Amino acid sequence: MIGSRAALVGIGATEFSKRSGRSELQLAAEAVFKALDDAGLAPSEVDGMVTYTQDTNQEISVARETGIGELSFFSRVHYGGGAACATVLQAAMAVATGAASTVVCYRAFNERSGRRFGQPDARLGGEPSSQGMEMSWHVPYGLMTPAAWVAMFARRYMHAYGARSEDFGRVAVAMRRHAATNPAAWFYERPITLAEHQASKWIVEPLHLLDCCQESDGAVALVVTSVERARDLRRVPVVVAAAAQGAGAEQMMMTSYYRDDMTGLPEMSVVGRKLWEQSGMSPADIQTAILYDHFTPFVLSQLEELGFCGRGEARDFVADGGIEIDGRLPVNPHGGQLGEAYIHGMNGIAEGVRQIRGTAVNQVPGTRNVLVTAGTGVPTSGLILTG
Amino acid sequence: MTAVTQETVHQLAERQIAVGEVRGTPAADPVNLPMIRHWTTAMGDANPVYTDEEYARGSVHGEIVAPPAMAQVWTMPGRGRDEKGGTPVDDVLAALDGSGYTGVVATNCEQTYHRYLRLGERLEPATRMTGFTGPKQTALGEGYFVTWNVSWYSSGEPVAEMLFRVLKFRPRERKPQSGSSQPYPLRPAVNRDTEFFWEGVRKGELRIQRCADCGELRHPPGPLCPKCRSVARTHVVACGEGEVFSFIVHHNPPVPGLETPFVVAVVQLPEGVRIVGNVVNCLTEEVSIGMPVRVRFVQMDDELTLPMWAPGGS
Amino acid sequence: MRTVSEDQLAVGTTLPELSVELTPTMIVSTALSTMDFTPVHHDVDRARAQGSTDIFLNILTTMGLVERYVTDWAGPEVLIRGINVKLGVPGYAGDTMTFTGSVLSERAGEFTVEVRGRVSLGDHVVGTVRFAIPVEFG
């Protein structure tokens, strides 16, 4: 079992901005230094590195910049933001098997000032790779942005369960409320109202602008080592109680429209089942959840897939501040990607660590176990962190 | 002006940015009531602090002030005045014109007013070029974004600032009336597993892959049958009817080759498979889940035909 | 006429709509009153020759109308600090521009209002106006 063999002992991040003014490699290096300093470890103690296939910074480049020497383990995870928690899974597996002793996971990009994922790219459908062939059934019709791919699911979800745009809006309002008191958040001191959500322009109906997360420049790095080694380090160890990846049957990158049911996230259900099984926990054991929020509708689906509420009931769950700090399940106390920054889910893992340490700016009292998820609508991953 | 290369236009831009702030011709007239009145009347702005002396005297300003948004007006060259005051931006815009980027559209205007202007003040502008990016693909065509900042001074005191950005673009060729048309930019990748589908579309057939052994229908198609592992593939021609299973209306950002808003739907076919396509020939607000639709084959250019969906069932 | 008080400026408050008829007279008179003599703002033939369907509003007027929209609502004595806009489709003669807006935020006594001016082709202008309330009204 992977559970409780590894711990997160360091977290680091750059500032979150719209224009970092420096290369993606520099961002990666800065975040790695901060994470190692946080852990109290020297670069020379790192022997493993994990990142996303989408990251433009090779592991060896980051190692070279930061003075990390020899590596005995390096690995990358595919499927966009679905890789976030899986980087920690990879690191934990490396630590548990002895492939490496201390592993750095990182994600660094100029996603706002450089290549923006939300912009249509006509080349998406042109590649005769298996992913290009998948895209070719969608891109020629202009169905080619993440917002559009998600909106297609959202419309069916609304139809099936009577959810309304306002239900999605409540997620955005909660995230922005959290970000408003987080000085690291781009939307610090800038909460929104449901009326503003409703008045914001259409991106892709049924999604308004304020249903879509921001675009950010920045980097986050995490340090993973064994639970035994963690006890000797300066920080309270944050134990990886469970870590899992998930892909569903008939899975596509972001256009799994050909399954019987289009209202759920079966890939997240796989992750959830694995997490509960590995940790021996159930939703009632979770005090804080970090749910991937690149678009609001999938926050509702995740609550359902992970068992926090029944199918179609998430809109009642998020009503009346249900996912706010003093709600029935505080979600993304840092403000999530809608409020803090879009670092492809890695900033959420860092927040999970802070919640367990008790050092978060919006600390949820009594947090012992945090569930963290990665990209939605894509093959994904998840973690349960514990003190 | 001869065409310049991408590199030289960037070099020119960098040079002009390095020039820094360049003073322009001072305003021909001081801030004055007749021009304010002309402006407020045209705008329909009835704010009395701009034109009613008595009201203005009792107001927070204590006297008549100019509308802040008039800041730029005071130093406009007007008609017949020599415009060759020369700002660092002029040469860059001219170089782009000479290279075929003849279109221009303003994209951003950001003004900051440090204080309200009183009658009698005479403004002096100063311009510096601050940004140059491109070439970028935009909805209007390939182009460069050029940014400059203007500061207005009154007796040496900065009173207002402006950031202004334009897109200089190469206008798209209009579609010729006959002969070859512009290729549609959103093209599918086609390989030996999928070419039967696109061949069918060109002939006006909507083809669904069918396993020659077990009869399983499948869309999107693939190299073999996941049910029985057979590689013996054939196809059936769909009846052409369907029902909207889900749909979106795309507004932003612009998509190359398409005009927004446009509708994309997942269509459920009576044969038991789903397919994605545009819904056309109806208003976006009339599309709904469950709506019966019928396939239409739309020729996008000389080579590509796409199946699309229009309202109407059997 | 009076200036709005701070308690009427809660974040989320929506501004009353304002419709402005973009008559040819309006387009021409505003262009000239802003000292903008570019032909596309007063000469239909020249405007069409460069691919426009008619004469259209100039940017200095857009800025003036955005300012007017906010002061019409907030009162004559609010202090306009800045206007930031993104420009969209042209405002052609014969069209109507409808302004909508809402209070976006307040920080250190400075209010930000989000403003949108829409014509039949879509958004002509979207942006923000920053203003402060004079102390004696606060």
Side-chain angles (χ1 to χ4, degrees):
Chain A
M1 286 288 271
I2 194 72
S4 301
R5 305 277 296 273
L8 280 152
V9 293
I11 55 174
T14 63
E15 82 288 359
F16 304 133
S17 74
K18 300 293 177 200
R19 179 175 286 274
S20 73
R22 32 208 211 280
S23 69
E24 295 184 332
L25 182 55
Q26 182 173 341
L27 294 177
E30 288 177 19
V32 169
F33 278 135
K34 285 193 172 156
L36 288 172
D37 290 348
D38 181 54
L41 287 167
S44 58
E45 293 178 83
V46 175
D47 56 1
M49 299 192 86
V50 186
T51 188
Y52 299 47
T53 52
Q54 275 190 9
D55 204 280
T56 63
N57 306 294
Q58 303 183 105
E59 304 91 308
I60 50 174
S61 307
V62 178
R64 226 164 42 225
E65 281 323 297
T66 52
I68 291 172
E70 296 178 341
L71 295 173
S72 59
F73 174 74
F74 30 92
S75 167
R76 291 194 176 211
V77 187
H78 193 40
Y79 306 117
C85 297
T87 63
V88 175
L89 168 63
Q90 293 274 316
M93 288 196 295
V95 166
T97 57
S101 62
T102 299
V103 181
V104 165
C105 307
Y106 64 92
R107 179 75 175 111
F109 55 23
N110 287 322
E111 197 279 331
R112 180 60 182 77
S113 67
R115 190 170 102 64
R116 301 171 64 180
F117 301 163
Q119 296 298 313
D121 182 349
R123 290 165 301 181
L124 275 176
E127 287 284 324
S129 63
S130 66
Q131 188 175 315
M133 299 310 294
E134 208 178 282
M135 291 287 180
S136 292
W137 302 109
H138 311 105
V139 167
Y141 310 102
L143 185 67
M144 56 194 305
T145 61
W149 294 325
V150 172
M152 193 72 86
F153 287 103
R155 174 87 64 183
R156 187 71 200 176
Y157 180 90
M158 295 165 90
H159 175 81
Y161 298 121
R164 294 156 51 95
S165 170
E166 288 86 346
D167 298 314
F168 303 151
R170 285 184 185 94
V171 174
V173 169
M175 296 307 110
R176 291 290 291 270
R177 181 165 296 169
H178 295 171
T181 53
N182 171 9
W186 177 258
F187 287 118
Y188 176 51
E189 292 186 336
R190 281 185 283 174
I192 55 166
T193 62
L194 194 55
E196 283 173 87
H197 169 272
Q198 288 294 299
S200 67
K201 71 175 177 185
W202 289 120
I203 297 299
V204 179
E205 286 180 61
L207 300 188
H208 288 276
L209 174 66
L210 291 175
D211 286 307
C212 309
C213 78
Q214 53 189 313
E215 297 179 289
S216 309
D217 286 8
V220 171
L222 312 164
V223 184
V224 177
T225 191
S226 68
V227 169
E228 294 73 29
R229 175 92 173 94
R231 288 197 195 101
D232 301 331
L233 296 177
R234 54 197 289 237
R235 294 289 187 181
V236 177
V238 174
V239 175
V240 180
Q245 284 184 287
E250 294 291 309
Q251 181 81 49
M252 285 194 180
M253 178 67 183
M254 272 196 92
T255 52
S256 305
Y257 305 143
Y258 308 91
R259 297 161 165 167
D260 289 345
D261 182 18
M262 233 182 86
T263 63
L265 294 167
E267 51 281 358
M268 194 58 83
S269 173
V270 174
V271 169
R273 290 196 309 269
K274 298 289 281 185
L275 293 180
W276 303 133
E277 182 190 312
Q278 282 176 29
S279 64
M281 295 184 200
S282 74
D285 297 310
I286 301 298
Q287 290 81 37
T288 302
I290 309 292
L291 301 183
Y292 199 89
D293 59 335
H294 56 353
F295 299 98
T296 55
F298 279 156
V299 172
L300 302 190
S301 319
Q302 288 181 85
L303 289 166
E304 296 169 11
E305 292 291 355
L306 295 166
F308 291 105
C309 63
R311 293 251 170 231
E313 291 171 4
R315 65 193 170 106
D316 301 320
F317 195 90
V318 303
D320 312 320
I323 56 171
E324 293 179 19
I325 300 287
D326 48 4
R328 45 187 79 91
L329 177 71
V331 171
N332 302 348
H334 60 315
Q337 307 196 86
L338 289 156
E340 186 183 64
Y342 173 69
I343 311 293
H344 239 168
M346 284 298 250
N347 50 323
I349 302 175
E351 171 67 7
V353 170
R354 287 188 294 266
Q355 288 290 337
I356 298 291
R357 288 178 178 174
T359 59
V361 288
N362 296 322
Q363 183 63 44
V364 177
T367 294
R368 297 181 311 283
N369 306 311
V370 176
L371 181 142
V372 188
T373 63
T376 39
V378 291
T380 186
S381 54
L383 299 172
I384 291 176
L385 306 178
T386 190
Chain B
M1 184 104 205
T2 51
V4 287
T5 64
Q6 213 183 97
E7 197 176 343
T8 39
V9 73
H10 271 281
Q11 282 166 353
L12 173 64
E14 272 168 36
R15 262 203 317 278
Q16 296 306 89
I17 288 171
V19 164
E21 191 170 85
V22 174
R23 293 264 164 163
T25 312
D29 291 297
V31 174
N32 65 83
L33 187 55
M35 278 174 70
I36 295 177
R37 200 186 305 283
H38 184 188
W39 187 94
T40 54
T41 311
M43 293 292 161
D45 191 335
N47 190 332
V49 300
Y50 304 143
T51 50
D52 182 334
E53 230 167 291
E54 198 184 319
Y55 183 96
R57 215 175 303 124
S59 78
V60 62
H61 301 289
E63 61 187 299
I64 282 190
V65 289
M70 273 188 85
Q72 193 183 354
V73 174
W74 303 112
T75 56
M76 286 289 278
R79 182 146 196 264
R81 253 180 90 198
D82 185 4
E83 227 174 312
K84 286 188 211 112
T87 78
V89 189
D90 300 347
D91 288 349
V92 176
L93 298 180
L96 289 171
D97 275 329
S99 303
Y101 297 92
T102 52
V104 61
V105 48
T107 61
N108 298 73
C109 181
E110 304 183 1
Q111 298 188 344
T112 300
Y113 315 113
H114 300 315
R115 64 167 173 80
Y116 277 65
L117 300 177
R118 298 177 290 272
L119 299 183
E121 296 193 75
R122 191 185 293 261
L123 298 194
E124 203 179 331
T127 303
R128 58 187 200 282
M129 184 167 159
T130 48
F132 186 77
T133 54
K136 296 203 170 190
Q137 299 306 322
T138 76
L140 293 167
E142 185 182 272
Y144 289 85
F145 288 94
V146 186
T147 308
W148 61 92
N149 286 58
V150 182
S151 301
W152 285 279
Y153 296 89
S154 172
S155 305
E157 174 200 357
V159 289
E161 319 277 341
M162 173 170 75
L163 174 152
F164 203 78
R165 182 171 299 135
V166 300
L167 168 67
K168 285 289 289 174
F169 62 96
R170 189 192 290 280
R172 289 239 172 83
E173 300 284 321
R174 296 271 164 145
K175 250 190 188 170
Q177 296 297 344
S178 60
S180 68
S181 54
Q182 286 276 31
Y184 178 68
L186 306 178
R187 311 195 77 81
V190 179
N191 71 5
R192 60 192 70 189
D193 299 333
T194 66
E195 60 192 359
F196 78 95
F197 178 88
W198 299 105
E199 191 186 294
V201 163
R202 278 193 295 275
K203 292 181 179 164
E205 293 181 357
L206 187 68
R207 295 177 175 176
I208 307 170
Q209 180 175 317
R210 179 177 177 276
C211 174
D213 285 326
C214 75
E216 177 83 357
L217 294 183
R218 182 184 190 203
H219 186 87
L224 42 73
C225 175
K227 268 253 157 76
C228 73
R229 304 187 189 185
S230 167
V231 293
R233 294 171 302 200
T234 177
H235 64 260
V236 296
V237 175
C239 72
E241 283 166 21
E243 194 178 290
V244 172
F245 187 75
S246 190
F247 71 99
I248 58 134
V249 185
H250 187 107
H251 294 265
N252 288 293
V255 171
L258 289 169
E259 293 207 355
T260 55
F262 59 87
V263 178
V264 190
V266 174
V267 176
Q268 176 75 50
L269 305 187
E271 288 83 2
V273 300
R274 287 185 205 143
I275 184 167
V276 165
N278 296 107
V279 177
V280 293
N281 296 0
C282 77
L283 297 171
T284 58
E285 51 268 36
E286 286 171 0
V287 182
S288 62
I289 290 181
M291 179 170 105
V293 286
R294 192 156 182 75
V295 73
R296 304 173 57 89
F297 297 95
V298 180
Q299 191 167 350
M300 307 308 289
D301 56 31
D302 289 348
E303 288 174 4
L304 181 66
T305 299
L306 292 176
M308 297 191 180
W309 301 88
S314 46
Chain C
M1 278 200 274
R2 59 184 189 83
T3 291
V4 74
S5 64
E6 290 206 25
D7 56 9
Q8 294 165 285
L9 283 166
V11 168
T13 304
T14 54
L15 279 62
E17 264 188 25
L18 171 70
S19 286
V20 179
E21 298 296 330
L22 306 182
T23 62
T25 307
M26 191 274 177
I27 305 249
V28 174
S29 64
T30 50
L32 301 191
S33 82
T34 57
M35 299 290 280
D36 187 343
F37 292 84
T38 315
V40 290
H41 305 309
H42 61 258
D43 184 334
V44 184
D45 290 340
R46 295 280 293 275
R48 288 193 178 139
Q50 69 133 56
S52 301
T53 56
D54 207 324
I55 57 168
F56 55 91
L57 215 57
N58 71 329
I59 296 160
L60 284 85
T61 299
T62 302
M63 298 296 276
L65 292 176
V66 166
E67 178 174 277
R68 173 196 153 190
Y69 176 56
V70 171
T71 52
D72 273 5
W73 159 75
E77 294 186 50
V78 296
L79 303 172
I80 301 289
R81 294 268 175 78
I83 303 175
N84 289 6
V85 302
K86 280 189 187 162
L87 297 153
V89 299
Y92 285 122
D95 210 334
T96 301
M97 178 129 69
T98 304
F99 285 101
T100 54
S102 65
V103 180
L104 197 60
S105 65
E106 186 267 326
R107 195 181 283 199
E110 188 174 281
F111 294 85
T112 301
V113 172
E114 188 175 45
V115 174
R116 172 184 303 257
R118 207 182 263 274
V119 292
S120 60
L121 296 176
D123 287 335
H124 166 69
V125 59
V126 179
T128 56
V129 177
R130 288 175 287 119
F131 67 87
I133 306 291
V135 176
E136 56 261 50
F137 294 93

